[in-house]
């Protein structure tokens, strides 16, 4: 009788273990459409709201989870061809995660923390992070603090504007813009801090670039030695100014812009937006624009422009050698997918822009699509997966995170 | 005979009751149907961008209107969300949402009543109609 009980326990355990290893094994054909020669697999699933992702040098993948009740960072330990999920840590929401100089950095919506990595490149004391930056503004809207590093020990943090277009009444039909938009003092730009100094706040940092409504995807370009960012353009031109913009114009405009930033650059939000059809910087209707009036040329031009509202949530310059030559040093962009386009939403894919000598060298193209699980998304919550984070694996594969179901995709090229 | 009389009495009761009920249901539904149709037009013009065609909202940004206590609960509270807007980022069915709800007080009492009746009877919701008088009363209380 006792041996039967042991046998039963054994069978039960084996089943659980088998099921567990199945989950961790790579699942083929996740329904993505890719260029010829590429294949995709799912390496992890059901993690939660998986935002940005970062690899350590051993090939383990750190995933930043937003709004998780069981810890905000999870490490997927590499077992060669598959990953093993380890217990989550870090009791805070947020988006940003990166590895720099022996530390794992992660952001909440107000702070940036860091964890010392041991010789296995793992976090040895997950309960005691150091606070690198604190006291950043979080008023709900555009509160994610994405992070990136340069080669000189500087940390760049996006602080998104807590507003759509700095109207006197946010998102109120016809409400005009606030004069000398005060939001820009503490948000609507990229701030620079020291990577190795603790407890910094606004006074310790520099407003590196301003006039950026909300940046979620950003990456340091090692070829140009400059920061590139993807801005989420303003919403609702037609809803707010129906006499100036048709519903169709409002769906296409304004562009989602890629900017190359130099210190003290101003991209012009909220005073202007970039119209990718006219290829011009146009004065925002809140500040006296009519859809045609051009903005002052002191504001910088985008390096690349994309259709409106597709929500670029990650930017990655590809430095690997696994992919064909055309991808080398080019930009991958994870478009989270739109909500304020009518009658049909767009995005929900990973795009690619070829680069030559540090500049875009050709039109953007869709690299990976099919995340939404349907060709036609009318309402945003119909999308089954939404691309949110990007990382380059040690072997040159591209990894994509999804913050609907918490799926991690691996995309590889076979010669 | 006694049995027969009782039967006739009972049947009459039922039939009167049924007729009354039928008449009132029909009356309500005609009003509600026209209010729902008018409300759909208001929804399409002013609400659909954020709350989406299926009422599902946008994850993390704009709340859903499907079976939430805000939509199905007390009408005055719901009317006030439209009249005053909402920026408390309160929890809705266990999640929070980042965008603000702007005031819709530029809509007429009837438009607000219609759109709320539409929302309360769409996307799987089933709740009583909101009438223009309810909105008028709520609006009068806002200084």
């Amino acid at each position: 009788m006792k041996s039967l009980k042991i046998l039963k326990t054994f069978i039960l355990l084996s089943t659980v273990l088998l099921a567990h290893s199945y989950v961790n094994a790579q699942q083929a054909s996740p329904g993505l459409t890719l260029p010829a020669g590429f294949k995709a697999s799912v390496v992890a699933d059901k993690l939660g709201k998986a935002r940005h992702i970062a690899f350590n040098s051993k090939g383990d993948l750190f995933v930043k989870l937003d709004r998780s009740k069981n810890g905000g960072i999870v490490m997927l330990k590499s077992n060669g061809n598959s990953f093993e999920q380890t217990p989550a840590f870090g009791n805070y929401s947020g988006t940003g995660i990166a590895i720099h100089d022996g530390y794992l950095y992660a952001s909440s919506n107000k702070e940036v923390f860091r964890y010392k990595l041991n010789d296995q490149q793992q976090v040895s004391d997950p309960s005691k992070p150091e606070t690198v930056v604190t006291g950043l503004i979080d008023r709900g809207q555009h509160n994610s603090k994405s992070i990136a590093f340069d080669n000189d020990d500087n940390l760049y943090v996006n602080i998104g504007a807590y507003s759509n277009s700095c109207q006197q009444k946010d998102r109120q039909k016809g409400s005009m813009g606030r004069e000398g938009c005060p939001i820009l003092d503490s948000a609507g730009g990229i701030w620079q801090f020291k990577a190795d100094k603790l407890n910094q706040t606004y006074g310790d940092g520099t407003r590196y670039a301003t006039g950026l409504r909300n940046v979620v995807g950003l990456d340091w370009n090692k070829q140009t030695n400059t920061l590139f960012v993807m801005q989420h353009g303003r919403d609702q031109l037609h809803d707010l100014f129906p006499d100036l913009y048709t519903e169709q114009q409002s769906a296409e405009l304004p562009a989602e812009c890629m900017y190359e930033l130099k210190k003290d650059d101003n991209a012009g939000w909220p005073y202007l937006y970039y119209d990718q059809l006219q290829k011009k910087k146009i004065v925002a209707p809140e500040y006296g624009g009519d859809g045609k009036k051009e903005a002052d040329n002191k504001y910088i031009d985008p390096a690349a422009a994309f259709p409106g509202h597709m929500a670029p949530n990650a930017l990655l310059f590809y430095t690997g050698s696994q992919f064909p030559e055309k991808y080398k040093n080019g930009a991958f962009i994870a478009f989270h997918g739109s909500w304020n386009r009518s009658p049909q939403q767009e995005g929900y894919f990973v795009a690619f822009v070829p680069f030559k000598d540090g500049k875009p060298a050709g039109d953007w193209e869709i690299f990976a699509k099919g995340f939404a699980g349907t060709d036609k998304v009318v309402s945003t919550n119909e999308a089954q997966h939404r691309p949110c984070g990007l990382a380059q694996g040690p072997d040159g594969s591209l990894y994509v995170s999804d913050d609907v179901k918490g799926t991690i995709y691996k995309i590889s090229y076979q010669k | 005979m006694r049995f027969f009389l009782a039967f006739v009495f009972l049947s009459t009761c039922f039939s009167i009751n049924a007729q009354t009920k039928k008449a009132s249901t029909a009356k309500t539904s005609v009003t509600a149907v026209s209010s729902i149709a008018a409300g759909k037009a208001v929804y399409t013009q002013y609400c659909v961008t954020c709350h989406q065609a299926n009422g599902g909202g946008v994850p993390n940004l704009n709340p859903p209107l499907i079976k939430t206590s805000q939509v199905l609960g007390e009408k005055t509270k719901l009317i006030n969300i439209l009249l005053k807007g909402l920026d408390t980022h309160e929890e809705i069915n266990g999640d929070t949402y980042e965008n603000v709800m702007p005031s819709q007080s530029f809509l007429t009492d009837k438009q607000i009543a219609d759109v709320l009746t539409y929302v309360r009877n769409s996307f799987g919701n089933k709740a009583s109609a909101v009438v223009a008088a309810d909105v008028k009363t709520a609006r009068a209380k806002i200084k």
Side-chain angles (χ1 to χ4, degrees):
Chain A
M1 192 63 204
K2 198 177 176 187
S3 65
L4 186 67
K5 206 170 169 186
I6 291 171
L7 183 69
K8 270 185 176 171
T9 315
F10 176 74
I11 290 170
L12 183 73
L13 263 174
S14 321
T15 317
V16 170
L17 283 174
L18 271 173
H20 188 66
S21 60
Y22 174 73
V23 168
N24 283 329
Q26 293 188 11
Q27 294 163 26
S29 38
L32 300 188
T33 305
L34 301 159
F38 286 90
K39 66 179 172 76
S41 59
V42 167
V43 297
D45 207 359
K46 301 186 179 75
L47 296 177
K49 297 191 176 190
R51 300 286 287 178
H52 283 175
I53 50 178
F55 275 100
N56 67 13
S57 57
K58 300 268 183 190
D60 308 315
L61 183 64
F62 290 94
V63 181
K64 183 74 193 78
L65 302 175
D66 196 22
R67 300 159 186 252
S68 165
K69 291 190 169 68
N70 310 308
I73 303 170
V74 67
M75 187 185 81
L76 303 177
K77 190 174 170 0
S78 172
N79 293 331
N81 282 328
S82 64
F83 291 95
E84 184 192 327
Q85 190 177 333
T86 59
F89 59 96
N91 184 27
Y92 48 91
S93 279
T95 292
I97 197 156
I99 285 177
H100 175 77
D101 201 21
Y103 286 90
L104 172 72
Y105 287 73
S107 66
S108 69
N109 294 328
K110 289 177 183 168
E111 297 110 339
V112 181
F113 302 103
R114 72 175 187 180
Y115 304 80
K116 181 91 183 131
L117 296 175
N118 61 23
D119 56 359
Q120 289 303 302
Q121 301 303 306
Q122 292 176 15
V123 172
S124 38
D125 196 348
S127 65
K128 288 200 185 70
E130 293 178 324
T131 304
V132 182
V133 184
T134 185
L136 303 180
I137 204 157
D138 170 9
R139 294 200 185 167
Q141 197 172 170
H142 304 149
N143 60 4
S144 64
K145 305 292 185 284
S146 304
I147 56 175
F149 295 90
D150 64 15
N151 299 324
D152 297 310
D153 253 1
N154 291 307
L155 161 68
Y156 298 86
V157 184
N158 168 66
I159 306 177
Y162 45 91
S163 169
N164 175 34
S165 50
C166 210
Q167 286 175 289
Q168 286 159 32
K169 286 185 179 165
D170 190 24
R171 297 179 192 268
Q172 181 80 60
K173 187 180 157 206
S175 174
M176 297 307 280
R178 298 169 73 183
E179 207 178 319
C181 179
I183 291 171
L184 294 166
D185 293 347
S186 62
I190 303 289
W191 265 254
Q192 186 194 53
F193 296 97
K194 288 283 163 207
D196 59 359
K197 196 176 155 194
L198 302 185
N199 300 309
Q200 301 168 88
T201 187
Y202 281 105
D204 306 291
T206 317
R207 191 178 70 176
Y208 188 74
T210 188
L212 292 155
R213 178 175 174 273
N214 185 32
V215 167
V216 186
L218 73 176
D219 196 15
W220 186 261
N221 186 315
K222 293 185 175 76
Q223 272 207 313
T224 56
N225 221 21
T226 50
L227 185 68
F228 279 74
V229 302
M230 292 295 313
Q231 175 183 239
H232 283 219
R234 51 92 37 88
D235 303 326
Q236 293 179 279
L237 283 165
H238 169 75
D239 289 344
L240 304 177
F241 295 90
D243 299 340
L244 295 175
Y245 299 90
T246 64
E247 211 171 277
Q248 199 188 348
Q249 287 174 314
S250 192
E252 282 303 318
L253 300 175
E256 301 288 55
C257 291
M258 174 193 284
Y259 291 102
E260 178 181 17
L261 297 179
K262 299 198 170 61
K263 193 172 185 307
D264 296 325
D265 272 349
N266 189 337
W269 180 90
Y271 312 114
L272 65 82
Y273 64 83
Y274 189 75
D275 180 326
Q276 75 278 23
L277 306 174
Q278 299 184 65
K279 296 188 166 54
K280 284 174 183 168
K281 290 172 294 209
I282 301 292
V283 175
E286 289 84 356
Y287 291 89
D290 58 0
K292 295 183 190 77
K293 197 171 155 188
E294 284 191 59
D296 194 320
N297 238 340
K298 69 181 178 186
Y299 300 112
I300 61 168
D301 281 312
F306 303 82
H309 315 299
M310 301 198 303
N313 270 12
L315 169 66
L316 180 138
F317 287 103
Y318 185 76
T319 56
S321 42
Q322 184 194 105
F323 288 7
E325 189 57 29
K326 88 172 224 193
Y327 295 98
K328 188 92 176 179
N329 299 315
F332 285 103
I333 299 149
F335 283 102
H336 200 216
S338 70
W339 57 270
N340 72 111
R341 282 183 74 109
S342 187
Q344 189 177 328
Q345 306 303 336
E346 290 292 342
Y348 310 93
F349 52 65
V350 176
F352 176 74
V353 185
F355 266 61
K356 195 166 186 284
D357 304 325
K359 300 252 178 279
D363 290 337
W364 69 276
E365 59 191 63
I366 293 175
F367 174 72
K369 65 174 184 180
F371 295 92
T374 164
D375 284 342
K376 190 177 176 186
V377 176
V378 174
S379 297
T380 307
N381 73 349
E382 292 161 7
Q384 289 168 28
H385 303 274
R386 302 176 74 187
C388 189
L390 295 171
Q392 185 182 309
D395 70 345
S397 296
L398 182 72
Y399 287 74
V400 185
S401 63
D402 142 57
D403 70 347
V404 177
K405 293 206 173 70
T407 305
I408 309 289
Y409 302 84
K410 176 185 182 180
I411 300 174
S412 306
Y413 182 74
Q414 281 177 319
K415 281 173 193 124
Chain B
M1 186 62 193
R2 221 161 149 189
F3 174 76
F4 178 72
L5 275 178
F7 175 75
V8 169
F9 176 71
L10 267 174
S11 320
T12 318
C13 283
F14 271 122
S15 126
I16 289 170
N17 190 29
Q19 270 180 16
T20 321
K21 210 170 176 181
K22 205 172 167 187
S24 89
T25 314
K27 201 180 160 197
T28 315
S29 72
V30 166
T31 320
V33 162
S34 75
S35 184
I36 287 169
K40 187 177 181 178
V42 177
Y43 186 85
T44 306
Q45 191 171 355
Y46 298 107
C47 317
V48 74
T49 304
C50 295
H51 293 292
Q52 305 282 286
N54 65 2
V58 179
N60 310 328
L61 299 183
N62 308 320
L65 304 174
I66 302 168
K67 295 179 180 168
T68 71
S69 58
Q70 285 79 1
V71 168
L72 298 178
E74 204 205 326
K75 287 183 205 174
T76 310
K77 201 180 159 197
L78 180 61
I79 292 166
N80 275 322
I81 293 175
L82 266 74
L83 290 173
K84 297 178 185 172
L86 193 68
D87 63 352
T88 54
H89 306 287
E90 64 189 61
E91 216 171 80
I92 295 169
N93 283 5
D95 220 331
T96 56
Y97 296 88
E98 291 161 8
N99 283 346
V100 297
M101 159 97 181
S103 159
Q104 308 294 318
S105 61
F106 59 88
L107 297 174
T108 65
D109 293 346
K110 185 176 180 304
Q111 282 178 310
I112 290 180
D114 288 345
V115 77
L116 290 179
T117 302
Y118 168 71
V119 166
R120 281 162 66 90
N121 291 282
S122 304
F123 322 128
N125 295 328
K126 190 83 196 129
S128 60
V130 174
V131 295
D134 298 336
V135 183
K136 194 181 176 191
T137 309
R139 205 193 285 267
K141 285 182 184 157
I142 298 171
K143 278 164 196 157

